[in-house]
């Protein structure tokens, strides 16, 4: 089990949070995604380590940016 926290820029509402959670959740091995809208913190739990580039690509697909 691996847990990593990222900071995502540009989220302003609940829809933003849902989009980020949905895109990251599609990555193989990701077991849960928790997003704190106020701070931009995104905690990703996975069964094995996930490459930062995969997370960044998923966040980009959602329309946001990893800080």
């Amino acid at each position: 089990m691996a847990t990593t926290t990222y900071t995502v820029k540009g989220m302003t509402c609940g829809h933003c949070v849902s989009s980020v959670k949905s895109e990251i959740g599609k990555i193989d091995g990701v077991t849960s995604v928790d997003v704190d809208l106020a701070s931009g913190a995104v905690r990703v739990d996975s069964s094995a380590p996930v490459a930062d580039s995969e997370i960044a690509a998923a966040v980009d697909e959602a329309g946001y940016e990893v800080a």
Side-chain angles (χ1 to χ4, degrees), residues 23-24 27 51-64 66:
E23 289 299 327
I24 294 174
I27 299 171
D52 291 341
S53 60
E54 284 189 81
I55 299 296
V59 169
D60 184 63
E61 182 67 27
Y64 308 97
V66 173

Side-chain angles (χ1 to χ4, degrees), residues 6-14 16-17 34-42:
Y6 302 89
T7 301
V8 174
K9 298 190 303 186
M11 296 185 299
T12 58
C13 64
C16 301
V17 169
D34 291 311
V35 179
D36 179 41
L37 179 60
S39 68
V42 177

Side-chain angles (χ1 to χ4, degrees), residues 4-6 17 20-21 32-36 40-45:
T4 310
T5 302
Y6 302 89
V17 169
V20 169
K21 287 178 76 169
S32 73
V33 181
D34 291 311
V35 179
D36 179 41
V42 177
R43 192 185 83 217
V44 179
D45 294 326

